[in-house]
Amino acid sequence: MDFEEIYSLYSPQIFRVCMGYINDREQAKDLTQETFISVWKNLSTFRNQSKISTWIFRIATNNCLRALERAKRVMITELPFHLPDEPHEETQEEKLTFLYNCIAELEETERIIISLVLEDLPQAEIAAIVGLTTVNTRVKIHRIKEKLAIKFKYHGQFE
Amino acid sequence: MDNLNDLKAIWQTANTTDLPKSAEMLRLVKKFRNQRLLKKILMIVLAILLLAVMVFVMFIYRSAMLTTRIGEVLFIITCIILVVTNSRSLKRFIDLKDCSNKEFIEFLEQTRRNQVYFYTRTQFIALCFCSLGLVLYPYEFVHIKLTWFIGTYTFVLLYLGVIWLIVRPRVFKKEARKLNETLERLEKISNQIK
């Protein structure tokens, strides 16, 4: 697989994961770019010891973690609407912003794990990316889902 | 509306159309030079150059006084300290290839601890050697004339005073605060992966 193929295949996924972690479009784009700079530089030395997707997600999430040295804290964006007195049908964009805000309230590794879950990665792969055991990862995912469910119920946004 | 499949459906609606196209990204990455490591590489190259110049001077110009010889040796030691420290640090970054978040956080923690050690110990020792070298080295050339002696040593002592009493404490305080904050954050994340 050459660089351009890898980029076309993985860049949307990497961008969404970075967005889930950092909750800022421009920073997420920068992190995506940094990820692919690392991929390009190290592609020739990649030895297939892990799946290529695991390798790329590791680079991306490690870049996200490193971003903590630059960014003070993750943004919690104001919802782009005032809650009306009467319930209305939320747009996809509003739902997505709400989801990002809920994720932004989680801890750093939880943000990474849930972003990978939402990207539909198998639990074993998520475990390999984060560096946890599969059992531990399963427990973490369960807890994160519970936390998100509480947030969603509390806000009652999408019932 | 809050089950995982619904969330996945919302998650997938993120707009990714404005990401650079693959050909554009390829152009971008090819232009990229490793900025992060550039400073270290530059420091190593400069220290090696200075080291080479000092060794060359030592052999070409046979100084008569012991103070000059000691000054030269102190400069050489300073250069060696800089080359070794930066090369070790560079090697750690180059060796870091495919690693999990857990390993990466451990790597960052170790890097920051090394930096703290560098600022508190290594840099202090290197600066001591360099300062002493700077005081001893010019003596042979300026001791003949009083005006040269006073002029040179006023400049050297002023320069060292600024470095030791103003620049170093300020940089140290700023760096120490930044490093401690980063270490605290890294520790927090590290505890999440345990």
Side-chain angles (χ1 to χ4, degrees), chain A residues 7 25 68 109 120 140 158, chain B residues 1 8 15 20 185 192:
Chain A
Y7 180 77
R25 221 179 149 75
L68 71 89
T109 47
D120 241 351
K140 287 234 177 222
F158 304 139
Chain B
M1 191 65 192
K8 280 182 187 171
N15 179 18
R185 286 191 203 166
Q192 293 166 21

Side-chain angles (χ1 to χ4, degrees), chain B residues 48-97:
Chain B
I48 290 175
L49 269 176
L50 189 62
L51 187 70
V53 169
M54 286 316 296
V55 173
F56 181 74
V57 167
M58 256 183 111
F59 283 98
I60 294 295
Y61 172 71
R62 300 272 174 185
S63 51
M65 293 182 84
L66 189 64
T67 48
T68 317
R69 287 271 147 174
I70 296 173
E72 284 165 347
V73 170
L74 289 172
F75 283 140
I76 289 171
I77 293 173
T78 310
C79 292
I80 291 171
I81 291 174
L82 287 178
V83 172
V84 170
T85 315
N86 283 288
S87 304
R88 269 195 202 156
S89 170
L90 190 67
K91 189 178 176 297
R92 289 186 73 243
F93 278 91
I94 290 168
D95 288 347
L96 183 79
K97 289 280 184 245

Side-chain angles (χ1 to χ4, degrees), chain A residues 7 16 25 34 37 41 50 58 61-62 66 68-69 71 108-109 119-120 129-130 132 140 158, chain B residues 1 8 10-11 15 18 20 26 32 34 36 93 98-102 104 112 185 189 192-193:
Chain A
Y7 180 77
R16 286 193 293 266
R25 221 179 149 75
E34 277 175 40
I37 286 168
K41 268 168 46 195
S50 54
R58 275 177 161 184
T61 50
N62 284 339
R66 176 172 242 158
L68 71 89
E69 293 180 351
E108 289 86 349
T109 47
E119 275 305 323
D120 241 351
I129 293 165
V130 181
L132 290 166
K140 287 234 177 222
F158 304 139
Chain B
M1 191 65 192
K8 280 182 187 171
I10 298 170
W11 179 259
N15 179 18
D18 59 344
L26 197 61
F32 178 84
N34 206 336
R36 272 185 205 145
F93 278 91
D98 186 13
C99 66
S100 69
N101 297 160
K102 193 181 178 181
F104 186 69
R112 298 302 158 239
R185 286 191 203 166
I189 298 177
Q192 293 166 21
I193 317 182

Side-chain angles (χ1 to χ4, degrees), chain A residues 87-103:
Chain A
H88 79 293
E89 191 65 32
E90 284 84 16
T91 64
Q92 284 298 328
E93 199 189 331
E94 288 167 348
K95 287 176 184 177
L96 187 63
T97 306
F98 183 73
L99 175 60
Y100 284 145
N101 281 348
C102 287
I103 295 174

